[in-house]
Amino acid sequence: MQNLRIATAQFENKSGDKEYNLGIIRKLTGRAAEQGAQVVAFHECSITGYTFARHLSREQMLDLAERIPEGESIAKLTAIAREYNVAILAGLFEKDEKDQLFKAYVCVDSNGLVAKYRKLHPFINPHLLPGDQYVVFDLYGWKCGILICYDNNVIENVRATALLGADIIFMPHVTMCTPSTRPGAGFVDPKLWENRDADPTSLRMEFDGMKGRAWLMKWLPARAYDNGIYAIFSNPIGMDDDQLKNGCSMILDPFGDVIAECRNLGDDVVVATCTPEKLEQAGGYRYRKARRPELYKDVIGQSHQSEQKVVWLNSEE
């Protein structure tokens, strides 16, 4: 394994406007490639938009979704990867040959599709089905996994992906700045975004406080540290439908340290170097070696009825 240069990006997507979103993906991929990136990661549903899908019927979802890898967006994403000689990860809604709907995240390179992952815990639209498997794939000699947004909050998913061999886990999100039962959570006023050039301070206080980054930093570094993996977190910034998102796309190393982060109040991309040495130097590597699964395999694997509640979404109903 050689050092690997990975970029994570943030941008303000447009709901349902694939052409626009792919245009921004192309622009930011070019900027990342200029900085030496070999891989560029974008947020959940970065091709299609996300939050607006909560209002769509099954027929509208089928119109929006695409077959993978046959769909037009995969072809366009592959063309961008070929143009800049990089691997690109991005998200969209998928429909299969039976018109079943999924939330998908793909990795493509100049030759086409490298990997596809379906979100295990979808919720934004009732017609989406959950994925049923973890995905680990090779990229430039590194083992990589994918977990989308809510999937990362179920810690067993991160540990399982690491145990399957992942050195790097791509974690695309559309998160933060929504109501919750935790103290300090809530929406951020879109007027602050509209006024960001005149008053960036007020917006940054909301974005970096408990509605946003301060909450993220309670758990995201732990996912990287406990499992001894690189975490590539991607998140949109700006308006996603009627919700304001705060970006903070970042790369964390196996020590749980942030080694690159988007801090602009707008479209941005940052690059970090992943070094293989850290994978075995980190505490998470030693802790995985010290596990005693005979103590808890029956506990962790016992039968359980999954119950998924999203406070801000349920409050709308």
Side-chain angles (χ1 to χ4, degrees):
M1 289 166 56
Q2 303 296 317
N3 289 355
L4 183 62
R5 295 275 286 171
I6 298 182
T8 185
Q10 65 183 32
F11 72 93
E12 186 177 29
N13 55 232
K14 290 187 178 181
S15 299
D17 193 338
K18 297 177 188 178
E19 182 177 358
Y20 173 84
N21 295 332
L22 284 163
I24 300 298
I25 287 172
R26 180 180 179 274
K27 181 180 73 173
L28 292 176
T29 297
R31 283 172 50 183
E34 288 175 356
Q35 299 176 57
Q38 300 161 271
V39 183
V40 190
F42 294 91
H43 60 267
E44 176 185 16
C45 284
S46 45
I47 295 173
T48 55
Y50 177 69
T51 304
F52 81 111
R54 71 192 192 275
H55 302 302
L56 300 184
S57 66
R58 175 175 169 79
E59 291 71 25
Q60 290 170 319
M61 286 294 292
L62 286 170
D63 286 341
L64 179 66
E66 299 184 27
R67 296 283 297 275
I68 298 174
E70 302 92 333
E72 184 178 3
S73 292
I74 301 303
K76 291 182 177 179
L77 207 61
T78 301
I80 298 169
R82 186 178 301 120
E83 178 181 1
Y84 293 107
N85 192 31
V86 297
I88 303 174
L89 294 100
L92 70 164
F93 294 108
E94 177 195 8
K95 58 185 174 185
D96 67 8
E97 65 281 355
K98 298 179 181 179
D99 278 349
Q100 297 181 115
L101 290 159
F102 302 93
K103 172 82 64 58
Y105 195 72
V106 299
C107 176
V108 306
D109 64 11
S110 59
N111 296 314
L113 185 69
V114 175
K116 179 187 74 175
Y117 171 82
R118 291 170 171 171
K119 189 174 184 179
L120 305 177
H121 298 272
F123 59 83
I124 200 64
N125 184 282
H127 302 293
L128 292 170
L129 297 176
D132 61 3
Q133 61 182 318
Y134 300 112
V135 172
V136 175
F137 58 100
D138 291 318
L139 197 60
Y140 296 104
W142 291 67
K143 293 286 188 181
C144 299
I146 299 168
L147 293 169
I148 300 175
C149 201
Y150 199 105
D151 298 345
N152 292 280
N153 297 121
V154 180
I155 60 175
E156 288 86 350
N157 292 328
V158 185
R159 176 49 61 94
T161 305
L163 291 177
L164 287 170
D167 308 307
I168 298 166
I169 301 180
F170 292 94
M171 301 179 175
H173 280 64
V174 177
T175 192
M176 296 182 278
C177 304
T178 52
S180 171
T181 53
R182 62 179 173 81
F187 291 121
V188 175
D189 189 347
K191 291 180 180 178
L192 292 176
W193 178 250
E194 297 168 6
N195 197 42
R196 65 189 181 280
D197 291 334
D199 180 17
T201 301
S202 296
L203 180 62
R204 181 58 69 192
M205 288 175 65
E206 288 281 78
F207 276 2
D208 284 355
M210 281 301 298
K211 292 180 180 179
R213 189 179 188 277
W215 166 75
L216 184 73
M217 298 309 288
K218 287 178 177 291
W219 63 269
L220 183 58
R223 301 295 184 272
Y225 179 85
D226 286 346
N227 294 286
I229 51 95
Y230 284 93
I232 316 300
F233 172 83
S234 304
N235 194 52
I237 194 166
M239 297 306 299
D240 182 58
D241 192 36
D242 58 351
Q243 294 185 11
L244 180 55
K245 295 301 172 187
N246 65 325
C248 290
S249 292
M250 63 178 69
I251 297 174
L252 299 97
D253 71 9
F255 300 117
D257 294 329
V258 177
I259 55 176
E261 181 178 357
C262 294
R263 294 297 291 167
N264 289 335
L265 293 174
D267 298 353
D268 198 10
V269 63
V270 293
V271 183
T273 299
C274 300
T275 61
E277 292 80 11
K278 286 185 179 181
L279 294 170
E280 294 190 7
Q281 292 169 348
Y285 174 80
R286 298 191 298 275
Y287 305 148
R288 291 207 314 268
K289 290 283 191 180
R291 290 179 307 114
R292 295 183 58 194
E294 72 276 7
L295 295 176
Y296 39 76
K297 63 180 180 179
D298 293 334
V299 177
I300 295 175
Q302 65 183 299
S303 179
H304 169 71
Q305 181 63 46
S306 178
E307 181 180 283
Q308 185 176 344
K309 293 183 178 180
V310 180
V311 172
W312 71 263
L313 188 61
N314 292 337
S315 67
E316 292 185 342
E317 297 174 353

